[in-house]
Structures are given as C-alpha cells and as structure tokens.
Amino acid sequence: MLAIIGGTGFSSLAVTDGGMETTAFGDVYMETGELHETPVVFVPRHGNPPRYPPHKINYRAIIQALFDAGVDGIIAVNTVGSVDETLSVPGLVIPDQIIDYTWGRQQTFHDDQIVHVDLTHPYDPVLRTLLCDAAAGYPTRTDGVYGCTQGPRLETAAEIRRLRKDGCHIVGMTAMPEAGLARERGIPYAAICVVINAGAGIKNRIIDMDETRRSLDTGMGWVRDVLIRVVQST
C-alpha cells in the first residue's frame, strides 16, 4: 500500500479512518482512506490540526508509523521556493538529490549503535519514474536538487544565492531527515514538490504572500491529479 506524507496545502484525502498511532519514537496522526478508489495511508506531517513547524516535526515517529503499517512506498508532497530562476511559479519539481542544511534534528533511528545507510540516491528511481510520467502535461522539472533548510523562517537573498552556488534548484524545509529515515527503514521514497514562490531576491522580486497562496492552491490541484495517475498505474 502506498503512503503519502503531506505538508502545507495538502492536508487530507478521502478519509475512512484517522487517529493517533503510537510508536517507539512518539505518537503520530495517521489516516487511511482512498485515492481514486485505491487504498492509501496519509500522514499530515505538520499534525492534525497543523501545529508543528518544520524543525519540530517528529520525523522518526512518522516514518516508524508507516513502517509499522507495512507500506511499500512513500510519496512526499512538499511546498518549495525556487532557487533556479527558470522554474515556473507555480510549477512542479520531482527532485533526484538533496543537500541538507538542517541542524539539531533527530537524523537516525540508531542512537545507540553506529549504522551508516547509503543515501547516494535519496529518492527511489521507480517511484520517481511513476511521478515523472504522471506529471506529463504540467509545468514540471523531472530532476533537481532540493536544498533543505532549517526553517521556520524563509531564507535571505544571500542564502538563496549560496544555495544556487551549491547547485540547488529548489528550497524547502522538510525533505530531511524524512528521506534518510525512510532509507533506514527500507521504504522506497520519492517526492513531488510544488514551487509556490521565487526565492528571496530572485529577479529583485519581493515574496508576495497572496500570490504564494494562489500558487499553492493551483499546484496542489495538479499534485492530486498526479497522485491519482500514479495509483492508477500501480
């Protein structure tokens, strides 16, 4: 069964059951429901109601709960800003790489032993291909580097310039440690990202929150269509 982890702007599906699940790493709200008559598991990563900022999300509890539920794949839905000036706003990006700029987050399940997982390719290629195929017809970049910052504040113009020099194409706050923890538990993981604003300082534009909300609404409509196509193809 497929799991979807949703963030800002993507907070619910057709729910048949929802409630708190207890794991060794804490409690997490989880829903079971259907997407195009296909059973899925859904976790709103910011909680229900949304209350956890990116640096306070219990990523370990989320991934452990999905592991305990026996899911065989995770699609993460992320809202991001652009670092690459050529990206459409709104637009979709299906990243293939991550640079982690976060600090102080619980990065591993293995606090009492030394365990190194290979994260050369953080996103599962099979799930990525499904997402790329399903996103045909929408303004989509089918690769890209996700720069994961600490949050919850947005970035400065100088930080966006640094991210661009580092090779990032988009910037968000929730890709890590989520992707690494999924790898530790052996769950295939991929992401679809909605570009809702240009990063700070790009083309000397000021971030317009009303425009951002409109981009979010449009982009999340596209994401729902893409996810329906994915479940139809599996």
Side-chain angles (χ1 to χ4, degrees), residues 93 95-99 141 143-147 166-171:
V93 176
D96 62 337
Q97 281 294 331
I98 302 171
I99 299 178
R141 179 174 178 134
D143 65 356
V145 179
Y146 183 129
D166 285 350
C168 297
H169 299 94
I170 52 177
V171 58

Side-chain angles (χ1 to χ4, degrees), residues 8-10 76-82 87-95 139 146 170-172 191-197 212-224:
T8 305
F10 193 92
V77 179
N78 305 100
T79 57
V80 298
S82 69
L87 290 175
S88 299
V89 181
L92 302 177
V93 176
I94 300 164
Y146 183 129
I170 52 177
V171 58
I192 181 168
C193 303
V194 181
V195 183
I196 61 171
N197 62 267
T212 294
R213 282 188 286 271
R214 290 192 296 271
S215 296
L216 179 63
D217 291 342
T218 299
M220 286 303 170
W222 297 344
V223 166
R224 285 182 177 274

Side-chain angles (χ1 to χ4, degrees), residues 13-33:
L13 294 174
V15 179
T16 57
D17 189 29
M20 300 301 294
E21 299 291 332
T22 299
T23 78
F25 302 95
D27 296 338
V28 59
Y29 179 80
M30 179 187 295
E31 300 174 352
T32 57

